[in-house]
Amino acid sequence: MPSSAYDPACLPDLLPLYYRRLFPFAQYYRWLNYGGVQKNYFQNREFSFTLKDDIYVRYQSFSSQSELEKEMQKMNPYKIDIGAVYSHRPNQHNTVKSGSFQALEKELVFDIDMTDYDDVRSCCSAADICSKCWTLMTIAIRILDRALRRDFGFHHLLWVYSGRRGVHCWVCDEAARKLSAAARSAVAEYLSLIKGGEETVKKVMLTDPIHPFIRESLEVVKHYFPQYALQDQNILGRKESEEKVLALVPEDVKKELQEIFQEERNPERRWRHIEVQAKKKQTAKKRQYFEKEIMLQYCYPRLDVNVSKGVNHLLKSPFSVHPKTGRISVPIDLTDVDKFDPFAVPTISLICEELDRPKADEDEAKSEDTKGKENEQDSTEKRKIRDYKRTSLAKYVKYFDQFLAGMADSWKGKLLKQSDLQKEF
Amino acid sequence: MQFPSKKPKAVTDLKAELYSQPLQFYGQPPLENISLSEFESFAVDRLKLLKTVENLGVSYVKLSDDYKKKLDNEIKTQNFPHGAGEQTEKRRKDHISHFILRLAYCQTEDLRRWFIQQEVDLFKYRFKELECGEKLKFLHKNNLQYNTISAEEKDNLREKLATSSYTASGVKVEEQDFYKVPFQDALDLVRTRKVYLEEGYVYIPHNEIVTIVLNDFRTRLSKALALTARSLPAVHSDERLQPLLTHLSHSYLGQDYSVQKNVGKISLEQIDSLAGKSFPLCMRQLHQTLRDQHHLRHGGRMQYGLFLKGIGLSLEQALQFWRMEFIRGKVDADKFDKAYAYSIRHMFGKEGKRADYTPYSCMKVILSNPPSQGDYHGCPFRHSDPELLKQKLQSYKVSPSGVSQILELVKGMHYQLACQKYFELTHNVEDTAFSLSHPNQYFTESQKVLGGGKDVKRETDTLQRPQENSAARGLTREPAGDESQHLAEITKNLETDFQDA
């Protein structure tokens, strides 16, 4: 779907429209309230806004959904970040005795940024992305989602497109929200395989035995490697990228391969040669895993441990707008993760335009509403629901609804338990 | 801690039970009477032991042979439970001293963190020294009821268990018990991926269980300290205990430089060059700031002024020094004489209650009165932003590798060790022969190294002996009848190294 040309200069006009008629406040509140199981969970949550002219305000908090709406419609933030749930209302933190104001809980979050892969992608660099390197995000999502579910036992994961060059993961399980900083950092380190910065050439070192987590991750990488690395990135097709790859193998192997590569030009066959060499080098005593190490160095997710570590770390909110690209930070439907196209994500200018231009599905939306007369919401609410439904934002909000429904069962259970306990007294 | 008058029989049995174990979790506080002198001596000995644990932990690889040998030695020296043989008395001391130090170290984040770290390291050493059977007994007695997995489950997971940890692959999976533990209780193993993780549980082979035990110990101690902090006001209201506890948490168990035998040996002209050569970083910084800005705020004046007194400046010299510098700034001579001179005389005990204030130890500089905007006092390793610290060290020509060693120590919160490293690098020595705990000590040792040597050395020897005598006097005097007299002794000793703010 083509997106209307987005011009950052239009933001001051588009944002009010977005916050008045499109931002899914009901679902947003439903999420952050977590079923009302814990008292004041929403009220003690920190938000931070970046306003016009780069004015940044922290420690925003709201006592209800309607207060949140009113304030956001008043301030029209360019960016919204979500922080932790504190011991007191963040907007009153100055009145609290120093030392008592503490960050208590927050979702476990991960931030995958494409710039962290600049040393291994040749198609783009810095803030640019394209369909060729987006595969890296797909791989990251698959590996991390699997590990967070199967290894750590988490169930409620929300993956969100950051709006420009990466993805975020919000782990919303109760157990995740209660994790200490030490535990978060341990989880992040468990998931980290790439070590070293600018100065390091070889960033992945595998030792015996290979942990089951690494094995599983390798399976995912292997699935994408031929198309992504050998074809799209062409890591073995050009002289300079070929040298980068060979820098990752032991000296003696490198010499042999360089000779072979004089004759053999085809990337797939070159890779076969590397695999063969690796097998040859396996002795009973010392295992060589350089072909696996290469695959991992080029494809394995690179996450910023610092983002995940801190309980009070602020992260861009889902459904926030990216000021530079105009794209909405939408949730990613994992059932179709291979097909996710960041360039098809609606921009704020597109969806504002769609508000006026009736979409094909509007008839459907209209009939749904006439049926729902038992709905006690007032007419403005109804209009709001209708509004986002007639834009490209609809399917993303629907997916978010499904995500929330999945969590709602656990809230119901908790609330029942609480009321049972009360009856006993 | 309670001091009930009667000892019920049940308690005696409990004690016997507890002290029959080589190691404990310190779950129950001691319930008996002890004398104040035992209170103090137990605590001081344990503090010495924990300080050794800290020093060894940075100088050697933990649990290496050298580490174990030296720690073993210190345990013997301080009379703590060790090895085979009759241990009841020592275990009692171990039990009581731990709880006393809890009182002293629960008050701030920094103190708690330090205490927990050393106790965990000590516990780790002692747990590993236990025999296998004793380890199991310990686990069961302390309700670490982690469940082992069934043979069937083990079979299903066999390959995964074998490939996820070294120990598992070494010893056959069939032959070992595996425990299923929630991952939050085994963070170290998760972080390093040394264990199999599934659905939020880690599967730990029996001989890895020590990591779990340590985590548990750490968590329990952390919670206990938080609780202790809440009951502290009640404890502090006992005037016998309050001075002792404050002393313990601020003490560094060494010389306090309160009596200067080398007064007048330093001339004012030497100070600039001494600042570059022999001052620790905190004092060098204060001196530099004073020269640059012709002013220092109160915190800086106290910290630096007392230090200068400690290195041997007389009152007259000090007055001249500060006056000269302040006049260069915005202060005129009159104002100086009226306002600042008074406080300098105060420092030398010539005003007010005439207490001869002692130069601040490292502990005091690090823990009390953190600097705010416009202040230059404090400990640069503790209070400076690491980037700025790095720049400063680089400007003082410290080598890049030296700078990173120092920053590493700072990251681990070993501020005094970082300063020691700074000493080593600026004096070109391999190993400091001393354990740094006082800025004046830094100065004295530096002068020694730079050949200033013999006079200073003799002085420090004579200074040590009177200190030790008075300490011994206080401890051996039993409160047979006259408790108030004994109390006076103790507080008198405390005052000599008790530092006023």
Side-chain angles (χ1 to χ4, degrees):
Chain A
M1 194 179 295
S3 32
S4 285
Y6 165 74
D7 179 6
C10 295
L11 264 186
D13 299 315
L14 296 171
L15 286 172
L17 201 52
Y18 180 64
Y19 291 126
R20 237 161 274 276
R21 293 175 64 185
L22 292 163
F23 189 93
F25 284 107
Q27 288 84 349
Y28 198 67
Y29 177 78
R30 195 164 174 234
W31 171 34
L32 295 174
N33 193 37
Y34 285 96
V37 173
Q38 273 170 265
K39 258 183 73 174
N40 289 322
Y41 210 68
F42 181 79
Q43 291 75 3
N44 290 346
R45 170 82 69 167
E46 178 190 3
F47 296 85
S48 76
F49 293 156
T50 307
L51 309 174
K52 201 155 93 111
D53 298 325
D54 270 331
I55 299 175
Y56 182 66
V57 289
R58 266 194 78 172
Y59 299 112
Q60 304 299 296
S61 61
F62 311 98
S63 50
S64 64
Q65 179 187 331
S66 63
E67 194 187 321
L68 173 73
E69 283 191 49
K70 277 204 213 92
E71 287 303 308
M72 276 175 62
Q73 282 158 3
K74 200 163 46 162
M75 294 199 254
N76 289 307
Y78 277 41
K79 288 196 246 184
I80 306 168
D81 289 339
I82 300 180
V85 176
Y86 282 81
S87 52
H88 305 76
R89 292 187 185 209
N91 63 4
Q92 292 171 359
H93 75 282
N94 285 319
T95 67
V96 178
K97 192 172 66 152
S98 122
S100 306
F101 181 68
Q102 310 257 353
L104 298 177
E105 297 190 11
K106 190 176 70 73
E107 295 74 10
L108 171 63
V109 293
F110 297 94
D111 179 355
I112 320 281
D113 189 329
M114 198 69 93
T115 50
D116 291 337
Y117 295 80
D118 279 354
D119 57 319
V120 291
R121 55 173 182 150
S122 55
C123 48
C124 313
S125 69
D128 298 325
I129 57 165
C130 70
S131 55
K132 287 199 195 144
C133 48
W134 186 259
T135 315
L136 288 169
M137 293 295 117
T138 312
I139 296 174
I141 295 175
R142 276 201 193 268
I143 290 181
L144 296 176
D145 194 75
R146 189 212 69 83
L148 289 166
R149 287 180 200 276
R150 286 283 335 272
D151 292 14
F152 286 98
F154 295 126
H155 302 291
H156 305 292
L157 278 67
L158 184 70
W159 285 93
V160 183
Y161 173 51
S162 74
R164 188 163 59 157
R165 60 186 193 219
V167 294
H168 300 155
C169 179
W170 295 76
V171 185
C172 301
D173 296 54
E174 190 185 343
R177 287 181 271 129
K178 289 176 149 53
L179 287 176
S180 66
R184 285 163 206 259
S185 118
V187 174
E189 284 189 54
Y190 176 91
L191 298 169
S192 300
L193 282 182
I194 313 277
K195 305 264 150 99
E198 299 268 325
E199 315 289 302
T200 324
V201 173
K202 194 156 170 65
K203 298 192 162 88
V204 183
M205 305 283 245
L206 296 178
T207 51
D208 246 339
I210 298 196
H211 191 275
F213 164 73
I214 302 181
R215 277 190 203 285
E216 294 283 343
S217 306
L218 268 168
E219 289 307 301
V220 178
V221 169
K222 278 190 201 155
H223 173 82
Y224 289 92
F225 189 77
Q227 179 64 42
Y228 166 73
L230 300 177
Q231 287 289 319
D232 297 339
Q233 295 292 326
N234 203 9
I235 62 174
L236 288 176
R238 286 162 297 125
K239 192 72 182 155
E240 81 171 81
S241 47
E242 165 198 320
E243 277 173 9
K244 277 201 192 145
V245 175
L246 290 180
L248 303 178
V249 310
E251 266 311 307
D252 50 342
V253 177
K254 180 173 170 183
K255 288 204 171 69
E256 276 208 53
L257 287 170
Q258 276 170 334
E259 268 197 54
I260 297 175
F261 287 4
Q262 302 270 24
E263 297 297 320
E264 183 57 78
R265 295 294 182 187
N266 176 282
E268 274 85 5
R269 286 201 282 272
R270 281 181 166 185
W271 182 252
R272 262 317 279 157
H273 279 289
I274 293 182
E275 286 182 315
V276 162
Q277 285 293 322
K279 238 204 183 92
K280 270 211 283 197
K281 283 285 169 176
Q282 302 270 30
T283 62
K285 274 196 207 160
K286 189 167 187 242
R287 303 294 194 101
Q288 285 279 16
Y289 293 119
F290 54 82
E291 95 284 16
K292 297 183 167 67
E293 289 162 350
I294 294 172
M295 284 198 281
L296 292 172
Q297 182 150 340
Y298 276 84
C299 302
Y300 186 83
R302 300 169 179 214
L303 38 92
D304 184 352
V305 181
N306 290 313
V307 170
S308 311
K309 251 193 340 202
V311 180
N312 54 2
H313 191 101
L314 292 147
L315 187 64
K316 187 162 198 267
S317 167
F319 295 104
S320 179
V321 184
H322 196 297
K324 296 215 172 76
T325 62
R327 299 213 191 264
I328 311 293
S329 289
V330 292
I332 300 175
D333 188 343
L334 289 203
T335 53
D336 251 333
V337 70
D338 282 321
K339 296 216 187 68
F340 181 82
D341 178 8
F343 298 101
V345 170
T347 60
I348 187 176
S349 38
L350 173 71
I351 56 181
C352 286
E353 201 187 287
E354 285 172 334
L355 273 177
D356 300 321
R357 180 170 41 92
K359 262 184 74 181
D361 306 329
E362 216 220 334
D363 295 327
E364 190 193 297
K366 265 206 187 123
S367 58
E368 274 180 26
D369 286 322
T370 47
K371 275 190 222 150
K373 277 266 157 71
E374 64 265 271
N375 209 321
E376 262 153 34
Q377 290 158 330
D378 65 15
S379 53
T380 37
E381 272 289 322
K382 273 205 208 133
R383 209 193 328 122
K384 259 185 240 153
I385 300 170
R386 237 187 299 146
D387 279 348
Y388 78 73
K389 277 199 180 158
R390 53 163 137 166
T391 68
S392 309
L393 199 60
K395 74 172 187 187
Y396 299 102
V397 180
K398 183 163 171 204
Y399 176 72
F400 192 44
D401 272 326
Q402 288 168 357
F403 169 75
L404 295 173
M407 284 207 287
D409 288 328
S410 59
W411 302 334
K412 268 194 220 131
K414 280 273 157 62
L415 287 169
L416 273 171
K417 233 199 317 187
Q418 278 180 353
S419 67
D420 276 349
L421 288 170
Q422 282 171 357
K423 284 203 188 104
E424 278 172 30
F425 286 79
Chain B
M1 202 150 139
Q2 301 145 45
F3 296 90
S5 46
K6 283 209 157 59
K7 244 189 292 183
K9 180 113 190 353
V11 177
T12 334
D13 287 339
L14 229 96
K15 243 185 28 171
E17 162 74 40
L18 191 58
Y19 296 153
S20 68
Q21 302 302 314
L23 190 59
Q24 58 155 310
F25 252 167
Y26 307 106
Q28 290 302 329
L31 295 171
E32 55 168 285
N33 288 338
I34 66 168
S35 64
L36 278 173
S37 70
E38 231 183 5
F39 187 92
E40 186 183 9
S41 70
F42 279 7
V44 167
D45 285 351
R46 191 181 194 89
L47 191 53
K48 286 195 185 141
L49 177 59
L50 293 185
K51 287 249 171 215
T52 307
V53 169
E54 176 184 29
N55 282 335
L56 293 178
V58 191
S59 319
Y60 300 95
V61 173
K62 291 189 193 173
L63 303 181
S64 64
D65 289 329
D66 271 334
Y67 178 93
K68 287 204 275 201
K69 211 167 44 167
K70 296 200 176 209
L71 186 49
D72 209 43
N73 242 338
E74 185 70 14
I75 291 180
K76 268 193 242 167
T77 314
Q78 300 303 341
N79 230 356
F80 280 100
H82 160 270
E86 180 48 49
Q87 300 284 323
T88 316
E89 268 315 300
K90 299 191 185 146
R91 288 177 187 161
R92 173 179 168 265
K93 174 173 173 175
D94 178 62
H95 185 207
I96 294 175
S97 60
H98 172 89
F99 276 88
I100 300 175
L101 288 190
R102 274 197 199 182
L103 292 172
Y105 279 84
C106 62
Q107 297 176 69
T108 71
E109 255 323 298
D110 278 344
L111 286 174
R112 283 192 229 184
R113 214 178 305 168
W114 183 87
F115 182 66
I116 292 176
Q117 184 57 52
Q118 310 327 317
E119 286 282 342
V120 165
D121 281 344
L122 178 62
F123 184 89
K124 183 180 195 175
Y125 167 78
R126 293 161 81 185
F127 185 80
K128 288 222 151 161
E129 294 290 294
L130 290 178
E131 283 168 28
C132 202
E134 289 174 318
K135 280 191 182 126
L136 264 169
K137 228 167 56 168
F138 180 85
L139 285 179
H140 290 155
K141 282 212 181 268
N142 286 283
N143 291 322
L144 284 172
Q145 304 288 11
Y146 292 123
N147 296 320
T148 51
I149 59 178
S150 66
E152 198 189 329
E153 213 181 334
K154 233 201 297 182
D155 214 34
N156 290 337
L157 297 172
R158 184 204 312 238
E159 206 217 312
K160 300 200 170 133
L161 293 175
T163 52
S164 50
S165 65
Y166 290 111
T167 40
S169 57
V171 182
K172 288 252 164 27
V173 169
E174 293 89 41
E175 292 167 15
Q176 266 203 87
D177 268 335
F178 275 79
Y179 295 83
K180 187 171 162 175
V181 175
F183 85 86
Q184 292 93 329
D185 290 353
L187 291 180
D188 282 334
L189 293 175
V190 169
R191 180 194 311 272
T192 50
R193 234 180 283 116
K194 285 212 171 90
V195 72
Y196 180 61
L197 174 63
E198 188 183 290
E199 295 293 335
Y201 287 92
V202 293
Y203 293 81
I204 305 188
H206 179 81
N207 52 7
E208 282 283 332
I209 212 70
V210 68
T211 321
I212 309 308
V213 174
L214 280 180
N215 243 7
D216 203 277
F217 180 69
R218 184 188 284 270
T219 320
R220 288 189 196 201
L221 188 52
S222 184
K223 288 203 184 116
L225 283 178
L227 279 172
T228 311
R230 270 177 241 171
S231 39
L232 211 49
V235 175
H236 271 183
S237 65
D238 186 330
E239 2 167 276
R240 300 169 296 172
L241 300 181
Q242 202 255 25
L244 270 167
L245 292 176
T246 320
H247 167 63
L248 282 172
S249 59
H250 284 268
S251 83
Y252 63 100
L253 301 171
Q255 204 182 0
D256 65 7
Y257 299 92
S258 55
V259 186
Q260 297 90 37
K261 286 257 160 87
N262 45 347
V263 179
K265 290 237 156 90
I266 311 277
S267 78
L268 291 183
E269 291 74 45
Q270 289 177 287
I271 293 189
D272 279 317
S273 93
L274 284 174
K277 286 192 293 185
S278 290
F279 282 12
L281 197 59
C282 52
M283 303 304 174
R284 187 173 180 179
Q285 180 171 289
L286 282 166
H287 180 78
Q288 194 59 49
T289 309
L290 180 62
R291 287 285 189 231
D292 289 341
Q293 301 185 358
H294 312 299
H295 187 268
L296 275 181
R297 284 203 188 164
H298 181 256
R301 290 201 302 274
M302 290 303 288
Q303 186 174 319
Y304 189 37
L306 288 171
F307 171 77
L308 288 175
K309 185 172 83 145
I311 68 172
L313 240 58
S314 69
L315 173 58
E316 291 66 41
Q317 286 180 302
L319 282 167
Q320 198 188 341
F321 173 75
W322 290 98
R323 191 173 200 267
M324 210 167 59
E325 203 53 55
F326 272 53
I327 287 182
R328 286 214 192 104
K330 298 200 199 123
V331 178
D332 63 49
D334 245 350
K335 177 164 184 202
F336 180 85
D337 288 330
K338 280 196 205 131
Y340 297 98
Y342 177 87
S343 91
I344 295 170
R345 283 200 302 278
H346 202 274
M347 264 189 240
F348 278 77
K350 303 288 187 238
E351 299 282 355
K353 69 175 188 241
R354 317 274 157 161
D356 203 0
Y357 294 95
T358 45
Y360 298 170
S361 66
C362 287
M363 271 295 243
K364 185 162 172 88
V365 170
I366 291 171
L367 293 178
S368 344
N369 192 20
S372 26
Q373 195 65 349
D375 286 324
Y376 293 87
H377 64 267
C379 171
F381 300 101
R382 162 79 176 88
H383 297 119
S384 279
D385 169 72
E387 262 315 302
L388 293 176
L389 178 62
K390 181 171 167 185
Q391 284 170 26
K392 179 157 282 169
L393 292 170
Q394 284 167 341
S395 76
Y396 290 153
K397 308 276 195 316
V398 177
S399 71
S401 70
V403 172
S404 37
Q405 282 176 54
I406 290 180
L407 290 178
E408 211 38 57
L409 286 167
V410 165
K411 204 160 77 163
M413 297 196 289
H414 304 291
Y415 309 116
Q416 285 149 278
L417 292 167
C419 193
Q420 248 172 264
K421 178 59 66 183
Y422 170 74
F423 183 98
E424 286 167 26
L425 293 163
T426 49
H427 292 72
N428 242 319
V429 293
E430 268 302 307
D431 233 329
T432 55
F434 61 95
S435 197
L436 181 66
S437 53
H438 200 292
N440 287 88
Q441 177 193 21
Y442 185 107
F443 178 79
T444 315
E445 295 289 337
S446 167
Q447 289 287 290
K448 251 196 267 180
V449 168
L450 295 173
K454 293 219 177 95
D455 283 348
V456 186
K457 192 173 199 287
R458 242 188 292 124
E459 252 118 43
T460 51
D461 283 345
T462 49
L463 279 170
Q464 288 272 25
R465 255 180 276 118
Q467 225 21 35
E468 274 163 24
N469 282 337
S470 61
R473 252 187 288 128
L475 291 176
T476 48
R477 193 86 69 89
E478 287 301 328
D482 202 340
E483 205 159 274
S484 55
Q485 192 200 15
H486 178 64
L487 182 63
E489 274 294 335
I490 293 186
T491 42
K492 189 159 66 135
N493 289 332
L494 286 176
E495 258 172 22
T496 54
D497 41 10
F498 191 37
Q499 292 142 7
D500 286 271

